[in-house]
Every structure is written in C-alpha cells, then in structure tokens.
Amino acid sequence: MAKQEDVFKKVISHAKEYGYVFQSSEIYDGLSAVYDYAQNGVELKKNIREYWWQAMVQLNDNIVGIDAAIFMHPTTWKASGHVDAFNDPLIDNKDSKKRYRADVLIEDHVAKIEAKIDKEVTKAAKRFGDSFDKKQFLETNQRVLDYQAKADGILKRMGKSLENEDLADVKALIEELGIACPLSGSKNWTDVKQFNLMFGTKLGASADSAMDLYLRPETAQGIFVNFLNVQKTGRMKIPFGIAQTGKAFRNEIVARQFIFRMREFEQMEMQYFIKPGTQQEWYEKWKEKRLKWHLSLGMGEDNYRFHDHEKLAHYADAAADIEFKFPFGFKELEGIHSRTDFDLSQHEEYSGKKLQYFDPEENKSYVPYVLETSIGLDRMFLAVFSNSLKEEELENGTTRTVLKIPAVLAPTKAAVLPLLKRDGLPEVAQKLIDELKWDFNVIYDEKDAVGRRYRRQDAAGTPFCVTVDHQTLEDDTVTIRHRDTMEQQRVKLSEVKEIISKEVDMRYWLQKI
Ligand code: GAP
C-alpha cells in the first residue's frame, strides 16, 4: 500500500480515537460522506471559525457579519444559475458499476504526473545537498519541464471542454490518457453526463401547496440577497464586505477522502463589494491577505500553493484556489473568486428590485462588483489535523504520537496533573483548574503514571501539561511541560495563567497577518 494512504488512514483513525470526528449514525453503519464532530472536534472547529471571524470581521472595520437561513426562496437558485449550471460531469464504469466525477479522474491523473515532479525534486535535492536551488531546478530541468507541460496541457484541454460543455471531448480525454477505473482497472466507460448537486426538499404540509426548496449549496447567496439591507442599515460605503459562516449541502458524486468532500459541510465566506473596474486589484489583494492568514498558523510555507483556474465557474471572471498539501496531495482548501456583478444583476432581474449602490464620489448608482473568499471549515479542519499529526522518534529510542495543533486552535489548552492521587495534590490541582477555566479549556487528569498522561495529552493535542507535586506544597511552584518541545519549566503557580495565555491568545497569532 502506498505510504500516503497509510498516513491518511492513521489520520482518520486518530480523529476517531481521540474524540475529534465520528462517522454519522455509526451504529447504523454510517451515512456516506456525512460526519459528526466529537467533543474535541467541536472545539477545534469552533476555534478555527473564531480565528477566521476575528481576522475577517473583527479586524476589518469595513466587514460585517450575518447569519442567513439555510432555506431560501427557490427563485434564488434560478437567479444564481445553480438550477441550470451547478452540475458535475459524471461518468460510470460499465464493468465495476462505479460512478466517478470525470474531472476528478483527470485531475487524479495529473496529480500522478505532478508526483513525478516531486520525485525528481527529492532526488535532485539529495544529489546537490545544500547547494540545491529548488526554484531554479523547477525552471530549468528538462524532464520536469516536460512533465509540467504535459500536466498543464491536460488541465487546459479539460477546462476548455467543460467550459464549452463538450462532454464528448472529456470522455475522449479520459480514453486518450488511458485512465482506468481505480477499483477494477477497467477502461470501459459510459458517456459523460451532467448531474445537478443540489438537494431538494419541500416547505409546507399539504401536498398541493408545498413549495419545492433546495438546501443551500453555498452560503454566498444569503449574502447577496441581503446586500442592500446590510448596506443601508449599516451605512456601509464601498468597498465593504459581508461575511458569514454556515452549513451548505451538496449531493457530491464522489464523496470520499473523509471530511475533505462531504455532503453536509460548513463554509466561511466573505463577499467584498467593490467599484466596477477595481476587481483585478482586489483579487490580488485578497489572494495575498488570505494566504497570510493561512501562513500565520505556522503550518509550513511549502504546504500551500496557488492554482489559477482554467475552467471558470459561471459567475467568475478570475478565480484561484489556495491549495494545501493534504495526505493525498495538493488539493483545494480555499477559493478566491472575482464574481463580477453577476449575482447582484441576476437577483435584480429575477426579483425586480434594484440592488445598486449610490456612490457619492462618482455621483451615480451602479451594481457593485464582488470579490469572494470562500473556505470550507471542514477542509480547514482536515488541513490542521492532518498536518499536526506526527510520529516522532525520541532520543531514548521510543516513539511518541503527537498532535501539534497550533496552540491557538487546540481544543484543550492545558491539562493539570497531580503527581499522585493523595497528599493534598489533587486539591491543589483542582484549585488551579477552577482558576484557569475562566480563560480557556482545561482538563484534570490523575489516572496512570505521569509519563503516560503526558503521552495521552500529546496525542490529544493539548499544548501544555501542568504538574502539581510535593514541591508545590512547599513553594507554590509547578512544572509546565510544552507539548512540542517536551521541555519542562518550573514556574510559580501564580504565573501559569499568563504563560499559557501568551501562547494561546488569538491576538498574538493574528498579529502576523
Ligand atoms: N461560494 C463559492 C463556492 O461555494 P466552491 O469552490 O464551490 O465555491 C468553496 O466552495 C469552498 O468550500 C471550497 O474551497 C472547499 O473548501 C469547500 N467545499 C466545497 N465543497 C465541499 C464539500 N463537498 N465538502 C467540504 N468542503 C467543501
């Protein structure tokens, strides 16, 4: 089995074992691509959401938040283009009877070509040692250039075919590339067809008066239909943004890869309303701003890259993904889309209401253009969780499993451990818990030897362990152990809160953006 798959399996089993993510309705054998967040997962998710919200809403005085309903008037989805164009190209394998997204099959093929580039880089880095210049190598090595040209050519052709709705050419491309069903190895494919991803439901009790509704496939439309309400009541001046986080639903054809692609998921989206003609400038600015947000978490610069879209969604004039290196390779984590005035103009047309902004500087009204940043909360969770999980060899020859979640996002900030369950140590530990719990999540743990408790907290992702021992009773000092370095410091009981606060405070982390 490929090593990548092993790593990913470990991520999934660790997420379950340490109370982060469970399969939905597991006692009934689960529901495909639907997951529940457990006691630690819900805290990590909440912290990621808060980290995003503070960066977008709290720290930008021209961005405000809303929380729109999941149910929206059905015309919303006609106007937005989702009824007609929110489709994925699907293809079935006639032998295995398995259904795939045609574009994903092609992208997976391209990912294999890109993996060859990575291999060349690793080989060259070994050969040249310290003098290795990765950038220069990527730009000059002929084999790498050939692989890159091949990958780019495939994506370009796929993008064009999808844009032109030329599904026959998408099938032809799959056949030319010799792509086989990953399950059966068969190359016996059906034609490519379009499949709408929205879930339908009904509003109302009686069969004849019930209204057909959709579960929203993106949160963005709740922002567009509220644009004028927010602009007027908030007296917002362009440029300004509206942000929200919330559930979205898509009937994904290929729902695999754990919480990477789910049927019910959460988005964190921001629409930035701008003057027409300034979209290129804001597009570049928001690309840079969002990348900085990601980098502020210290998960490694090399784990991110931009991918500019060849195939643009029906509403965009430019779009890029911030891709992250997941255990199964670089994949989309966040999208930055220049959505033009498409959505507001469509809603004007379908609702018959003006959705315009009077610009006092220009002395005229116009439909603003929109720059969107859109990130999946669950995908961000997976990025943080998978990147944090490490197996480390220790100096004494043993290994430890440690979840190095950035301290600001960790579900529990500290565990307080009495060295023994007697001599008044549990009482002192409990008193410390009672003081710390007003500021952050802390837990008490007295079971097993202290070394085993450290390991347990390492694996759960707790950045600090505070140990109360007999010396504490004499001089009011405790030991603080740091998860990532395993270093231990002797500090005063009265200093514990400040030491931990400094490292988990959002302000300290967000100052880097
Ligand atoms: N409003 C624009 C929009 O929805 P998108 O690229 O379709 O754009 C934005 O989705 C983000 O939402 C993606 O970058 C991804 O992080 C997340 N996302 C999309 N589909 C998802 C799914 N099925 N499961 C989990 N996250 C998903």
Side-chain angles (χ1 to χ4, degrees):
M1 190 187 296
K3 199 161 172 274
Q4 272 191 344
E5 281 171 37
D6 282 345
V7 172
F8 194 37
K9 274 194 171 164
K10 177 96 183 83
V11 165
I12 297 169
S13 65
H14 197 87
K16 179 174 177 190
E17 191 181 341
Y18 284 87
Y20 278 85
V21 183
F22 300 149
Q23 175 81 59
S24 160
S25 337
E26 198 189 76
I27 58 168
Y28 295 106
D29 296 333
L31 190 62
S32 153
V34 187
Y35 291 90
D36 297 339
Y37 286 90
Q39 65 278 15
N40 282 322
V42 73
E43 295 290 341
L44 172 57
K45 201 174 166 197
K46 186 184 75 175
N47 292 342
I48 295 172
R49 194 189 293 111
E50 182 61 19
Y51 196 66
W52 182 87
W53 191 267
Q54 288 205 9
M56 301 301 272
V57 180
Q58 193 170 324
L59 293 178
N60 288 292
D61 46 18
N62 65 343
I63 300 181
V64 292
I66 63 165
D67 183 14
I70 288 171
F71 290 144
M72 297 184 71
H73 193 284
T75 311
T76 308
W77 307 110
K78 192 75 197 146
S80 67
H82 284 81
V83 171
D84 297 320
F86 194 54
N87 301 318
D88 272 347
L90 68 83
I91 190 165
D92 292 293
N93 186 276
K94 291 183 193 167
D95 297 321
S96 68
K97 310 277 182 250
K98 284 280 162 201
R99 176 162 283 186
Y100 298 95
R101 257 177 66 174
D103 55 337
V104 171
L105 281 179
I106 295 169
E107 278 168 9
D108 285 351
H109 182 86
V110 168
K112 282 184 194 150
I113 299 173
E114 285 173 342
K116 288 183 185 164
I117 298 178
D118 282 350
K119 240 185 195 164
E120 293 293 333
V121 170
T122 313
K123 263 195 324 202
K126 240 188 209 159
R127 203 166 57 238
F128 295 115
D130 287 345
S131 64
F132 180 60
D133 180 339
K134 185 175 168 188
K135 188 164 176 286
Q136 192 193 16
F137 181 76
L138 288 173
E139 284 169 1
T140 54
N141 180 277
Q142 196 51 47
R143 204 172 301 170
V144 167
L145 291 174
D146 290 345
Y147 284 139
Q148 197 58 60
K150 197 169 170 193
D152 291 347
I154 294 170
L155 289 178
K156 202 168 184 150
R157 176 163 160 203
M158 179 181 82
K160 260 221 164 73
S161 311
L162 289 172
E163 204 175 315
N164 299 335
E165 293 272 321
D166 186 354
L167 300 181
D169 192 55
V170 178
K171 182 181 179 187
L173 184 57
I174 288 175
E175 286 175 340
E176 279 168 39
L177 295 172
I179 296 175
C181 165
L183 206 73
S184 63
S186 154
K187 295 179 186 172
N188 192 8
W189 296 108
T190 62
D191 287 342
V192 178
K193 281 178 279 186
Q194 293 290 21
F195 174 80
N196 194 287
L197 299 184
M198 284 197 293
F199 282 105
T201 185
K202 291 206 181 286
L203 180 92
S206 82
D208 22 298
S209 65
M211 193 184 205
D212 287 317
L213 290 191
Y214 294 105
L215 297 185
R216 66 180 178 199
E218 62 170 12
T219 57
Q221 297 304 322
I223 292 179
F224 290 123
V225 300
N226 279 299
F227 154 73
L228 210 54
N229 282 340
V230 174
Q231 190 271 316
K232 286 211 168 0
T233 56
R235 288 182 288 128
M236 309 300 290
K237 288 199 171 47
I238 271 178
F240 74 91
I242 306 178
Q244 82 166 321
T245 70
K247 287 274 172 117
F249 303 83
R250 296 182 189 179
N251 196 1
E252 298 283 359
I253 302 165
V254 187
R256 55 186 162 100
Q257 295 168 326
F258 193 37
I259 56 171
F260 180 81
R261 199 179 300 286
M262 300 156 88
R263 296 201 162 106
E264 173 181 340
F265 57 101
E266 195 165 335
Q267 288 186 313
M268 306 191 286
E269 298 201 295
M270 193 277 301
Q271 319 296 134
Y272 204 65
F273 298 92
I274 55 176
K275 202 186 275 190
T278 62
Q279 65 267 34
Q280 184 64 31
E281 175 196 331
W282 285 113
Y283 176 63
E284 296 303 336
K285 271 192 191 154
W286 277 106
K287 272 174 76 174
E288 192 190 326
K289 267 165 107 70
R290 292 303 304 145
L291 183 63
K292 268 195 173 164
W293 180 84
H294 286 284
L295 296 179
S296 71
L297 289 168
M299 299 202 300
E301 225 167 292
D302 286 351
N303 287 327
Y304 301 86
R305 70 181 189 193
F306 280 113
H307 165 73
D308 294 319
H309 283 206
E310 283 291 336
K311 181 202 168 209
L312 291 173
H314 57 276
Y315 48 72
D317 72 356
D321 296 334
I322 294 178
E323 293 188 336
F324 184 76
K325 198 169 186 185
F326 288 98
F328 37 84
F330 272 102
K331 293 275 177 202
E332 173 185 350
L333 171 58
E334 170 158 8
I336 291 123
H337 312 128
S338 172
R339 288 183 82 127
T340 68
D341 59 355
F342 175 84
D343 302 86
L344 290 179
S345 299
Q346 288 289 105
H347 288 304
E348 272 202 329
E349 191 185 325
Y350 278 78
S351 68
K353 311 266 168 32
K354 269 203 172 336
L355 296 177
Q356 301 196 357
Y357 170 77
F358 177 75
D359 191 330
E361 281 168 25
E362 305 263 323
N363 199 26
K364 67 171 187 192
S365 296
Y366 53 77
V367 178
Y369 269 42
V370 171
L371 201 288
E372 166 183 78
T373 70
S374 176
I375 174 168
L377 175 49
D378 313 86
R379 235 174 241 192
M380 184 63 195
F381 183 112
L382 182 59
V384 171
F385 193 88
S386 59
N387 186 67
S388 302
L389 186 59
K390 317 268 183 215
E391 289 285 335
E392 286 183 351
E393 298 248 340
L394 303 180
E395 275 170 12
N396 64 6
T398 61
T399 56
R400 71 161 180 160
T401 301
V402 54
L403 198 54
K404 292 185 167 176
I405 296 179
V408 65
L409 302 180
T412 305
K413 304 305 185 196
V416 181
L417 324 171
L419 188 65
L420 299 173
K421 275 191 252 177
R422 55 181 159 76
D423 303 339
L425 302 184
E427 287 76 8
V428 178
Q430 198 56 57
K431 204 167 150 226
L432 182 59
I433 293 254
D434 288 343
E435 190 198 328
L436 297 179
K437 72 183 177 193
W438 292 94
D439 293 280
F440 28 74
N441 285 343
V442 279
I443 60 160
Y444 176 81
D445 189 0
E446 61 172 25
K447 195 171 174 288
D448 301 323
V450 79
R452 285 189 72 176
R453 281 182 267 170
Y454 285 155
R455 288 286 180 278
R456 192 151 61 227
Q457 296 305 327
D458 285 347
T462 311
F464 300 98
C465 284
V466 183
T467 306
V468 174
D469 56 18
H470 290 94
Q471 196 183 327
T472 313
L473 303 178
E474 285 163 23
D475 62 5
D476 276 344
T477 62
V478 286
T479 308
I480 289 197
R481 174 184 179 272
H482 296 251
R483 175 198 66 196
D484 296 351
T485 57
M486 295 193 295
E487 267 170 26
Q488 302 193 16
Q489 293 171 269
R490 194 87 204 170
V491 303
K492 287 213 166 72
L493 256 174
S494 57
E495 292 169 350
V496 170
K497 190 173 103 183
E498 204 193 317
I499 293 171
I500 298 175
S501 296
K502 240 193 209 158
E503 295 202 34
V504 303
D505 188 3
M506 286 214 177
R507 183 194 177 110
Y508 160 76
W509 293 75
L510 285 169
Q511 268 166 358
K512 296 178 219 158
I513 64 175

